[in-house]
Amino acid sequence: MNYGHFDDHNREYVITQPDTPLPWINYLGCQAYFGIISNTAGGYSFYRDARLRRITRYRYNNAPGDFGGRYIYVRDDDSGEFWSPSWQPTQAKLEDYFCRHGLGYTIIGSRSNGIEARTRYFVPLDENLEIWQVTVTNHRQRVANLSVFSAIEFCLWDAQDDSTNFQRNFSIGEVEIEGGVIYHKTEYRERRNHFSFFACSEELTGFDTQREAFLGPYRGWGNPAVVESGKSRNSEAHGWAPVGSHHVRIPLNPGESRQVLFLLGYQENPRQEKFDPPDSLIINKKTTKPIIARYLAPAMADTAFERLRLYWDELLGLCQVETPDVHTNRMVNIWNAYQCMATFNMSRSASFYESGIGRGLGFRDSNQDLLGFVHMVPGRARERILDLAATQLPTGGAYHQYQPLTKRGNNDIGSGFNDDPHWLILGVSAYLKETGDWTLLDELVPYDNAPGSEKPLYEHLERSFRYTLDRLGPHGLPLIGRADWNDCLNLNCFSDTPGQSFQTTTNKDGKVAESVFIAGLFVLAGRELARIACHRGLAAESSCYLAEVLKMETTIREHGWDGEWFLRAYDDFGRKVGSKENAEGKIFIETQGFCSLAGVGLKDGLPARALESVRRLLATEHGIVLQQPAYSKYYLELGEISSYPPGYKENAGIFCHNNPWVMIGETRVGNGDAAHDYYSRINPSAREPISDIHRCEPYVYAQMIAGRDAPTHGEAKNSWLTGTAAWNYHAVTQWILGVRTDYEGLRIEPVIPKNWPGFRASRKFRGVCYHIEVQRTGPGNVVSLEVDGAPIQGNLVPLPPAGTKTVTVKATLR
Ligand code: BGC
Ligand code: NOJ
């Protein structure tokens, strides 16, 4: 069953029923001011850091999960009836409800008793505020005397503290109301120099800022006393829970429409200029008032919205494809790229599955996110790489996470995830391939942010590589440390105490357990590093890296191959993990995918055999599961992986992030049918007709789909913030469609399904627009290229002379 449909022309997903199986969300903002918004207007906003600068409140694990949001109430002042045009929170009956989630905006609207109300929510580019454009239309034959109320609940900034420290927080809330604008300024009197504002374009009939006054005792957001009575209390919050609510009256003639604008923004003042007058505690609003005035001017909101639209036109225009498959087109051209922006901005911090108060930005996560983002805003990718590298430790290891506001490594989780350093090499290589900006490598970057420790970024990459060589185990394979990509394979943890963190508890000295996955990663990253070194003219170093890579490949062939597939690891007893010798967890996807994509043992046909085993043992109609057979009980020596019930998450769930590794592996052995088939099984758009099973949003990837051992096989969870976004984008654009960035230029090497007659793509690369047309003349993957009408050898399109604007590439596959 569908809960809506794609509107590809407008690049929107249109939800037509408010009670979707789960809240289906969108993100507002793509630079510094962010919001999450669900199809019923639930969600919250924050500035840069979802934990430390939370603007509006969210209550965790609520039912429904998106409760609390950017609410509007419309009241018919003649009858006293009131409703929420976004259905929540009143849940009054609506006609023609719709929610259009678009690129950086959401429009929610409906009709009730002949009154139509729609709200467009968005964050203008380069501003730290969100606009709600509410349009109310009277379709009745008579005059309608209406009231509109806005409602938000402020968060007292640190979202973690806000939801726990009530003995203090109930006494510190402060607001100011001036000229119809509600300012939230809790803790501004002391060490904060930031505040938020909530403004309205119309003259106010009243306002409220004290939650209890607005709602009334023993009432909730579904029936606030103020809305029910039609009378604001003009309450001023002193402690308790500051909220923001405006009340405006809008009498509408038959057929008349009116717009009411609301602005919710974040603002900082220089420490010395916080107060006005300086010896008072009143917020200095000198810089804020002009911003408010500017955006409350009616035409400005439309102009800002148009700018946002053009921005996304431009970003998406960088890579557009026209294939025979509508789901491929839709995901590549619109939603997958859009999701890559969200994962770049949020890493794994804030969604309805990531609380925003837990993790900051993950080192491995953010590096991988670059794969799907770097072509969009390379400048921001560059900055991210430098921030990440600055959290690297002198050993070459890395803090597993860092806080986006402070850009400092997170000590609570620390380091010791032995795969982490290699992702930096891959992030950097993706950037170099996209931009050709080799100056990046000369940037001076500190270790652990310590002043004086700055070294060229290139040296960070070397240390990443050496980190593994300094930590080899008994078989010559990399020691796993706390975990590798699979955060739940905790082979040195041996935790038997409830509540201990699997990620940080380490009971073993870590000298035995080895990871075949890191070995595969080392091979891939090492090859890139060798090419990078070569480009820097360091031929000897380059050969040295290659020699280590070859050695590791040999080690994998000797100690990491199980006969029909790649082993996963060795545990602390030196026993195999992911082997036919095991009763459970005989075969894991990660090493099949990653070793295949890295081309380990390609000459001996190992990837083809490993992939054949994947097909036989791991593939399901809903995607490829992480391992089989699922662990049926908790294994002390394996860690968190066996803590999950079978079929969920890392214990044999379909962990979508690693499915594209298998897809890329399939392209490397020339199997375009299999690659695209796997791609389609987890493609959210292709799964839209089974929304009742899938349950998460049909326009973005989820981290996990329940595996076949789970009673809910096919059900997705943890949508939006997942490495799945970047990896699928990378797999489909660069390997299946084969429009692949490389240091020397763009390669065209498609490995597409046999029954595709071809496809077209346009790709902007280093300032040049490549128009690519691929035509199949035979069933294979052998490619011949014509560039601007002239045949060339090989699959690398040479970089055109400076000043060239477009290049036409004709590729023939036979
Ligand atoms: C999850 C992993 C996640 C890890 C770190 C585990 O509980 O299963 O997917 O990476 O926590 O936050
Ligand atoms: C989610 C984490 O964010 C990611 O870093 C990890 O690789 C996967 N889970 C697998 O455990």
Side-chain angles (χ1 to χ4, degrees), residues 324-345:
D325 177 44
V326 59
H327 305 296
T328 303
N329 300 344
R330 183 178 282 151
M331 290 310 289
V332 172
N333 295 342
I334 307 170
W335 292 100
N336 195 176
Y338 181 59
Q339 188 179 0
C340 286
M341 171 66 92
T343 56
F344 173 82
N345 283 322

Side-chain angles (χ1 to χ4, degrees), residues 347-348 354 359 362 364-365 368 400-401 419-420 423 484-489 503 590 626 649-650 655 657-658 661 703 721-723:
S347 191
R348 309 296 170 265
E354 302 286 5
R359 315 197 235 174
R364 80 158 82 85
D365 295 326
Q368 290 172 80
H400 197 48
Q401 290 156 13
D419 63 315
D420 272 338
W423 299 110
D484 58 25
W485 173 87
N486 189 331
D487 269 325
C488 298
L489 199 59
Q503 265 75 55
E590 297 102 312
L626 194 143
K649 294 278 287 184
E650 282 86 343
F655 216 94
H657 182 143
N658 48 37
W661 300 344
Q703 180 200 61
L721 303 185
T722 161

Side-chain angles (χ1 to χ4, degrees), residues 654-714:
I654 295 157
F655 216 94
C656 299
H657 182 143
N658 48 37
N659 279 225
W661 300 344
V662 174
M663 296 167 204
I664 300 173
E666 290 286 4
T667 66
R668 294 221 54 186
V669 300
N671 198 347
D673 280 334
H676 193 263
D677 177 21
Y678 288 140
Y679 174 75
S680 303
R681 293 186 204 195
I682 62 167
N683 182 323
S685 160
R687 296 173 63 78
E688 188 200 21
I690 54 162
S691 285
D692 273 328
I693 297 173
H694 185 80
R695 300 186 76 232
C696 277
E697 295 91 332
Y699 41 91
V700 289
Y701 287 99
Q703 180 200 61
M704 201 251 328
I705 297 174
R708 64 173 168 230
D709 301 286
T712 57
H713 186 30

Side-chain angles (χ1 to χ4, degrees), residues 566-579:
F566 293 100
L567 275 179
R568 180 62 178 81
Y570 287 91
D571 70 12
D572 182 59
F573 305 104
R575 296 179 312 209
K576 293 174 182 169
V577 178
S579 155

